């Protein structure tokens, strides 16, 4: 949201007027689209904060874990502040984000981020709208957690590094929240390589066996497989045992 404000201000102050940056839009048209996107992101903030969190004993944090397809509900929910973001909005938002980034990078002296967070937003939208709900549930997981204060080296408190949604929540009184969409399947990246018509992929590792599970996880066939015998002689070079004490106990 701060980057949207930066881009809006630069256009309003006529700091960016060249056709190469604005393209087929006028400055007034781009500012109207930026305002629309800003309202949608404010609605997204409300949607994130409407999610019920629960205390996690392992991390000592308030968090919520959901299936991957829940990300569609979070973005599409909307609020009185603005409309939700749906698949039909992807093309429009991508165009606005690209133009906003062009504005922000037109003069790097005017902004520190250069559209970094808007680019992250666009990547997230492409990822979540490219997959159907079944694939999102199979390959992804949604995590929302409250940021916590950590102990600094001197015993003081320090805030964890912020990301896009932390910056977007600036000015709110609630504890900052972070929204994550985690991918847990290598098949997503492998399928993208195939769509880009990569002809040959060589994967080497000492931990690929058993191959059946590895090939299934990658989600694409491997017609050529080579497996060598293990380099360790388990009878002479492998020892198993239990250590009952460590260097400090």
């Amino acid at each position: 949201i701060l980057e949207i404000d930066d881009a809006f201000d630069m256009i309003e102050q006529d700091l960016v007027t060249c056709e190469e940056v604005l393209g087929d839009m006028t400055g007034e048209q781009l500012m109207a689209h930026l305002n629309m996107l800003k309202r949608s992101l404010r609605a997204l903030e409300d949607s994130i904060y409407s999610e019920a969190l629960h205390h996690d004993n392992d991390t000592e944090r308030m968090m919520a874990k959901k299936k991957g397809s829940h990300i569609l509900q979070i973005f599409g929910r909307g609020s009185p502040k603005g409309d939700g973001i749906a698949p039909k909005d992807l093309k429009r938002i991508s165009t606005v984000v690209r133009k906003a980034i062009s504005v922000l990078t037109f003069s790097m002296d005017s902004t520190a981020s250069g559209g970094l967070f808007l680019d992250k937003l666009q990547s997230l939208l492409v990822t979540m709208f490219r997959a159907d709900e079944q694939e999102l549930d199979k390959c992804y997981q949604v995590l929302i957690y409250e940021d916590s204060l950590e102990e600094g080296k001197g015993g003081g408190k320090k805030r964890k590094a912020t990301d896009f949604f932390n910056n977007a929540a600036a000015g709110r009184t609630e504890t900052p929240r972070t929204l994550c969409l985690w991918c847990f399947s290598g098949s997503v990246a492998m399928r993208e390589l195939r769509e880009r018509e990569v002809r040959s992929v060589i994967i080497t590792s000492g931990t690929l066996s058993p191959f059946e599970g590895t090939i299934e996880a990658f989600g694409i066939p491997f017609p050529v497989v080579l497996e060598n015998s293990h380099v360790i002689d388990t009878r002479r070079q492998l020892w198993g045992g239990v250590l009952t004490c460590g260097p400090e106990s």
Side-chain angles (χ1 to χ4, degrees):
I1 289 178
L2 298 179
E3 289 182 339
I4 293 176
D5 290 339
D6 285 342
F8 189 96
D9 291 342
M10 291 180 66
I11 299 171
E12 190 175 40
Q13 297 169 19
D14 291 329
L15 298 178
V16 179
T17 57
C18 66
E19 184 176 340
E20 181 181 354
V21 175
L22 298 179
D24 55 353
M25 281 189 184
T26 65
E28 291 77 11
Q29 289 173 331
L30 182 52
M31 286 192 293
H33 281 288
L34 289 173
N35 273 330
M36 187 184 306
L37 178 57
K38 182 176 179 178
R39 289 195 297 269
S40 292
L41 294 183
R42 289 297 186 191
L44 176 58
E45 285 181 4
D46 292 340
S47 181
I48 293 173
Y49 279 94
S50 71
E51 293 287 325
L53 306 187
H54 306 280
H55 184 265
D56 181 76
N57 293 328
D58 294 330
T59 61
E60 294 297 324
R61 283 189 175 191
M62 297 295 293
M63 64 171 56
K65 298 178 182 178
K66 303 284 186 178
K67 291 182 178 180
S69 62
H70 191 67
I71 193 75
L72 300 176
Q73 298 181 34
I74 294 175
F75 272 77
R77 187 175 292 145
S79 80
K81 295 180 181 178
D83 296 331
I85 299 175
K88 64 180 178 61
D89 302 314
L90 177 59
K91 184 177 180 179
R92 172 180 58 83
I93 292 177
S94 296
T95 300
V96 174
V97 167
R98 286 196 302 269
K99 291 185 180 298
I101 292 175
S102 296
V103 170
L104 292 170
T105 55
F106 180 75
S107 174
M108 290 299 293
D109 294 336
S110 61
T111 180
S113 63
L116 173 64
F117 300 118
L118 284 174
D119 186 61
K120 287 184 178 182
L121 171 66
Q122 182 179 3
S123 297
L124 174 58
L125 293 177
V126 170
T127 297
M128 58 185 272
F129 289 142
R130 180 176 55 187
D132 56 28
E133 291 191 19
Q134 183 177 2
E135 182 179 348
L136 285 171
D137 287 341
K138 180 181 178 181
C139 301
Y140 295 87
Q141 185 179 66
V142 171
L143 174 68
I144 303 175
Y145 65 88
E146 287 187 349
D147 292 340
S148 61
L149 291 171
E150 291 189 332
E151 291 289 344
K153 292 183 179 180
K157 299 287 186 178
K158 65 177 182 179
R159 176 68 66 186
K160 291 200 71 176
T162 59
D163 206 332
F164 170 77
F165 293 108
N166 301 78
N167 289 336
R172 299 187 70 111
T173 58
E174 302 98 325
T175 303
R177 291 185 176 186
T178 296
L179 171 66
C180 306
L181 180 64
W182 286 345
C183 179
F184 288 97
S185 175
S187 65
V188 175
M190 297 302 295
R191 185 173 62 251
E192 184 174 343
L193 289 176
R194 185 170 61 180
E195 291 173 353
R196 297 190 180 191
E197 299 183 352
V198 174
R199 299 183 60 180
S200 300
V201 177
I202 300 176
I203 299 177
T204 62
S205 175
T207 56
L208 293 177
S209 181
F211 285 116
E212 293 78 11
T214 301
I215 294 175
E216 181 180 358
F218 284 142
I220 61 174
F222 283 86
V224 179
V225 175
L226 174 64
E227 182 177 12
N228 293 321
S229 58
H230 208 291
V231 297
I232 298 296
D233 185 339
T234 57
R235 292 173 297 178
R236 295 188 305 165
Q237 297 174 285
L238 181 65
W239 175 83
V242 178
L243 299 178
T244 59
C245 62
E248 297 180 358
S249 62

